[in-house]
Amino acid sequence: MKNKIAWLVLVLVFIATGLNFLDRQVLSMTIIKIQEEFHITDVQYGWINTSFLVSYALMFTIGGRIIDTVGGKIGLGLAVLIWSIACFLHGVMQNFYQLIAFRFLLGFGEGGCFPGAAKVVYEWFDEKKRGMANGIAIGGSAIGAVLAPPLTIYVASSFGWRASFIIPAIVGMIWVVGWLLIPWKRYIGTQREKIVSPSVSFASILKNKYLWVFVSIRFLLDPVLYFLMFWVPKYLSEYRGMSFERIGDLFWIPFLALGISNIFGGWISDKLIQRGVSINKARKWVMGIAAGLTLCAPFIAFVGSYQFAIALLTLLLFAHGFWITNYITAISDIFGSKATSTVVGLSGTAGALSSLLINPFIGEIVTRYSYTPLWVTAGLMYPLGFLLFLVFLPRIKALF
């Protein structure tokens, strides 16, 4: 029975991470209509996005620490409730100032999603199943990214742009009710209950050298993913001559590959562990394969057709799925019950802040040169990150 409940919990986490990415993308699909109705300028829209990123970055760390204190059930449930309320408020907003405040609240809630997901996976799955479980949990976000554009456009066209915020908000609130009804303590037992009382101080975690390995790698690599999400449609239009409709027809494919590889990458490392390979080797082998696959990125700038460019982009995001699943699972392998969410949160904050800092420079590079330096950089960052991982984290083993 416990095994069935564990998989039910995992399905709900998959749905939560899917809602996380879907809810944040609704605004980008509806902003044209909102700008027309409320006369919001592009500069104001930039501040709206910044308000989300600032609270999102802060809550990765704050939320991670809170979740390590209260546990995955309460922590993730509270995060989904907050961002669902914020999403609902988007649907009833009346001016720019309300929208910027509701966007901040959305980031406040969504920042706790992935630390919470990592914590829940640790609570319910041992090291032989944790990789695939993390892959499924994270994979929901990719599916959310795939579904957001067509679903938002359909709902907005059929019922108005406000409904495209209100409907997923209601789904999120229903999710929270179902989540809280799961009889958690009955199945995870007293041993797992101890994880809600962290004995490792925040200061001790900050002094741990392995924390800074994960933080540094995330600081290096997250801008690559943000570049792929925010700049590639513009690249495909301006440099590859693709129409808006054609981009919509094809751009979901790389994110579907990402969702599949999240799950498959975790499954591979789990299978290696089940066959006697050490956790250290299993996680690193899969991450090494992922780093090698990302070397395809520079070729995106030079292939002759957009079809090949999309294919290489798909391979790049497929590799990222392998990487990020095992990266997060390695955090739980090392920091265990007392600090997993905190470390996931700190690394997520580092990635978000790095992306905030680097995003303006991407515009400068594109304007003065081209996208080619960015594709070359994207292809080199993962091998560099893997090298840092090998040198400064010679062995993945539990610390606490």
Side-chain angles (χ1 to χ4, degrees):
M1 185 64 180
K2 177 185 174 181
N3 189 53
K4 292 181 180 179
I5 296 296
W7 286 102
L8 172 61
V9 168
L10 189 59
V11 168
L12 288 174
V13 175
F14 176 89
I15 294 171
T17 60
L19 284 171
N20 182 274
F21 262 56
L22 190 151
D23 288 356
R24 77 177 64 175
Q25 286 187 273
V26 172
L27 182 63
S28 64
M29 299 291 111
T30 58
I31 188 58
I32 295 176
K33 294 183 179 295
I34 294 172
Q35 284 182 308
E36 290 174 353
E37 185 170 339
F38 294 101
H39 308 292
I40 292 173
T41 67
D42 287 340
V43 173
Q44 289 176 319
Y45 179 51
W47 281 111
I48 290 167
N49 285 327
T50 299
S51 72
F52 170 84
L53 288 171
V54 168
S55 64
Y56 185 69
L58 288 173
M59 278 307 295
F60 247 114
T61 293
I62 298 171
R65 190 57 181 168
I66 291 172
I67 290 166
D68 268 332
T69 302
V70 303
K73 181 178 184 179
I74 295 175
L76 184 58
L78 186 60
V80 177
L81 178 62
I82 291 171
W83 92 59
S84 296
I85 291 172
C87 190
F88 184 90
L89 291 173
H90 279 61
V92 297
M93 56 79 64
Q94 296 297 326
N95 56 57
F96 161 72
Y97 298 102
Q98 289 181 358
L99 184 55
I100 201 170
F102 299 155
R103 205 68 187 163
F104 186 91
L105 184 63
L106 185 75
F108 190 84
E110 291 206 350
C113 179
F114 291 100
K119 184 72 167 183
V120 170
V121 168
Y122 183 86
E123 289 176 0
W124 284 91
F125 295 89
D126 62 26
E127 66 275 4
K128 293 183 179 180
K129 297 179 180 178
R130 196 175 294 144
M132 183 175 176
N134 267 319
I136 293 171
I138 300 168
S141 62
I143 303 304
V146 170
L147 295 177
L151 283 178
T152 301
I153 291 171
Y154 171 76
V155 172
S157 299
S158 302
F159 308 104
W161 66 265
R162 292 183 183 276
S164 60
F165 290 102
I166 292 172
I167 292 174
I170 292 172
V171 172
M173 294 173 189
I174 293 171
W175 182 97
V176 172
V177 174
W179 180 255
L180 294 178
L181 288 175
I182 296 174
W184 207 270
K185 291 183 180 179
R186 184 188 306 174
Y187 293 103
I188 61 175
T190 56
Q191 182 178 359
R192 291 298 189 190
E193 289 174 25
K194 295 177 182 178
I195 57 182
V196 303
S197 302
S199 59
V200 182
S201 70
F202 192 64
S204 297
I205 295 171
L206 290 178
K207 292 177 182 178
N208 189 284
K209 63 181 181 179
Y210 294 142
L211 162 71
W212 296 104
V213 177
F214 286 104
V215 166
S216 299
I217 290 173
R218 195 73 180 265
F219 189 88
L220 281 175
L221 297 185
D222 265 28
V224 176
L225 185 61
Y226 280 94
F227 163 67
L228 297 179
M229 290 191 295
F230 295 156
W231 289 89
V232 168
K234 185 176 173 64
Y235 165 78
L236 293 173
S237 174
E238 294 179 354
Y239 281 75
R240 292 293 175 176
M242 294 177 64
S243 67
F244 177 77
E245 292 76 17
R246 191 59 176 157
I247 293 172
D249 289 340
L250 297 177
F251 194 50
W252 61 271
I253 297 174
F255 288 96
L256 179 61
L258 172 60
I260 293 171
S261 65
N262 282 142
I263 299 170
F264 189 47
W267 178 83
I268 290 175
S269 63
D270 282 354
K271 282 297 180 183
L272 290 172
I273 293 168
Q274 291 167 16
R275 294 181 180 182
V277 177
S278 69
I279 292 175
N280 180 63
K281 289 183 178 180
R283 308 296 187 217
K284 287 180 178 177
W285 281 357
V286 178
M287 294 175 75
I289 291 170
L293 290 175
T294 64
L295 291 171
C296 70
F299 295 98
I300 295 174
F302 303 107
V303 293
S305 69
Y306 70 78
Q307 290 92 341
F308 277 119
I310 291 290
L312 290 173
L313 179 62
T314 300
L315 180 59
L316 178 58
L317 278 172
F318 185 85
H320 175 77
F322 268 41
W323 175 276
I324 195 64
T325 294
N326 285 276
Y327 167 91
I328 290 178
T329 307
I331 290 176
S332 63
D333 291 331
I334 293 172
F335 290 93
S337 63
K338 305 302 182 185
T340 290
S341 290
T342 302
V343 176
V344 171
L346 284 165
S347 64
T349 294
L353 291 176
S354 175
S355 301
L356 272 172
L357 293 172
I358 291 174
N359 197 61
F361 292 102
I362 293 177
E364 286 289 327
I365 293 170
V366 170
T367 301
R368 295 191 179 191
Y369 304 101
S370 68
Y371 281 85
T372 300
L374 299 171
W375 289 121
V376 173
T377 302
L380 295 177
M381 284 297 100
Y382 287 86
L384 176 59
F386 185 58
L387 180 62
L388 291 175
F389 202 74
L390 291 177
V391 172
F392 294 104
L393 211 164
R395 185 169 181 81
I396 297 173
K397 61 179 181 180
L399 292 177
F400 306 121

